[in-house]
Amino acid sequence: MRKEEIILKTGEEIETMRRSSLIVAEILLLLKDKVKPGITTLDLDRTAEEETRKRKARPAFKGYRSYPYCLCTSVNDQVVHGMPSKRALKDGDILSIDFGVLYEGFYGDSAITVPVGAVTGDAMRLINTTAASLDRAIEAARVGNRLMDISYAVQKYVEAEGFSVVREFVGHGIGRELHEPPQVPNFGGPGRGLRLKAGMVLAIEPMINMGQSGVRILDDGWTAVTADGSLSAHFEHTVAITEKGPYVLTRA
Ligand code: MF3
Ligand code: CO
């Protein structure tokens, strides 16, 4: 983990980040509504781009390390960084949509996982458990707690449900850069890591597998898939730590 200084945000900067994060939240809701059997992930990417431009924001991922799309769309065993394509979604798939924008100099970053049509009970339980693990992580994002209290909240909850936490990808600080220190793992012992302070803004993003935790990267150089082919879910919020508690900037 890189030891680098964490950039604290003022109250005013947090309100600016709220505006960029709300754009992300709104567009994710629009996209969620469009997810149906037959639609392609490239269709979703086009919608995201149009809606972003309409709001005078910039897509955060497009051009980041030469990534060519606005969205990461990860289907079924794809964990993160799935690329939009002409692949049509099918009834029973699960789709994670990860999206960020740059607006007024600040980034917002969020992800959701949604069922396509009717999915199995186990797939729905994976989605709901991943979402609930993020809620628990957010609850731990409080002044005076330590960074790994967030990590532990995810790991403890998810493993008790019989699922596994991806180790290779982590959450991150966010602000004028998409990725700032610190890294925010979704596993770790409680009471460890740096002390959380008001003004820290973190993108917390549990990636949870139904089977084993291992992942591998496809030949496209981006798409991460589960090593065992099991389903994977991902949720993310941009969260400011304030004296009054966690402020979920990407909550609509
Ligand atoms: N939400 C992801 C992250 O925070 C998306 C970045 S991947 C990109 O790391 F390269 F596509 F931008
Ligand atoms: Co992120």
Side-chain angles (χ1 to χ4, degrees):
M1 216 177 284
R2 275 207 306 179
K3 284 268 184 244
E4 239 188 280
E5 206 155 345
I6 295 168
I7 303 161
L8 299 180
K9 280 78 184 177
T10 65
E12 203 171 318
E13 287 171 330
I14 287 171
E15 283 313 312
T16 307
M17 291 193 75
R18 170 64 168 161
R19 290 193 289 277
S20 72
S21 296
L22 261 183
I23 292 173
V24 174
E26 268 177 38
I27 295 175
L28 277 176
L29 281 179
L30 286 174
L31 295 173
K32 182 179 181 180
D33 236 40
K34 296 197 75 164
V35 171
K36 295 202 173 70
I39 194 168
T40 73
T41 48
L42 207 49
D43 293 331
L44 296 174
D45 197 74
R46 281 200 206 95
T47 301
E49 181 144 26
E50 271 174 32
E51 296 293 333
T52 304
R53 306 281 175 209
K54 247 193 238 173
R55 291 167 176 78
K56 311 276 184 233
R58 289 228 320 251
F61 304 165
K62 199 170 185 168
Y64 180 86
R65 296 191 182 179
S66 306
Y67 185 77
Y69 299 101
C70 297
L71 302 177
C72 296
T73 51
S74 306
V75 183
N76 295 338
D77 63 324
Q78 297 177 351
V79 178
V80 283
H81 305 163
M83 290 202 272
S85 74
K86 290 183 185 165
R87 167 183 185 169
L89 296 171
K90 300 189 315 291
D91 190 56
D93 284 343
I94 66 171
L95 168 69
S96 86
I97 308 173
D98 190 347
F99 179 54
V101 305
L102 175 64
Y103 184 70
E104 294 181 1
F106 285 92
Y107 285 92
D109 187 8
S110 183
I112 56 175
T113 301
V114 293
V116 182
V119 305
T120 66
D122 274 351
M124 211 55 232
R125 197 167 67 83
L126 176 69
I127 292 173
N128 292 337
T129 300
T130 306
S133 76
L134 176 55
D135 290 338
R136 294 189 170 224
I138 290 167
E139 273 309 303
R142 291 181 180 277
V143 174
N145 276 0
R146 289 185 184 266
L147 186 66
M148 295 296 169
D149 292 328
I150 296 174
S151 316
Y152 178 71
V154 173
Q155 183 176 18
K156 185 180 154 206
Y157 183 69
V158 160
E159 291 181 352
E161 292 291 322
F163 299 134
S164 65
V165 172
V166 171
R167 307 295 206 264
E168 281 84 350
F169 300 96
V170 296
H172 49 95
I174 180 168
R176 291 189 179 276
E177 303 287 342
L178 178 60
H179 296 136
E180 294 182 359
Q183 294 193 354
V184 185
N186 297 298
F187 58 96
R192 294 172 176 269
L194 55 88
R195 210 173 271 288
L196 300 176
K197 288 192 190 140
M200 290 180 177
V201 183
L202 305 176
I204 306 174
E205 47 179 322
M207 289 148 267
I208 305 302
N209 297 347
M210 189 173 282
Q212 299 303 304
S213 66
V215 304
R216 66 190 173 87
I217 309 292
L218 298 186
D219 288 336
D220 63 21
W222 280 103
T223 314
V225 298
T226 58
D228 64 6
S230 67
L231 293 179
S232 188
H234 178 209
F235 281 83
E236 176 176 21
H237 271 307
T238 296
V239 181
I241 295 169
T242 78
E243 293 293 352
K244 292 181 184 164
Y247 180 11
V248 185
L249 302 180
T250 43
R251 186 160 280 158

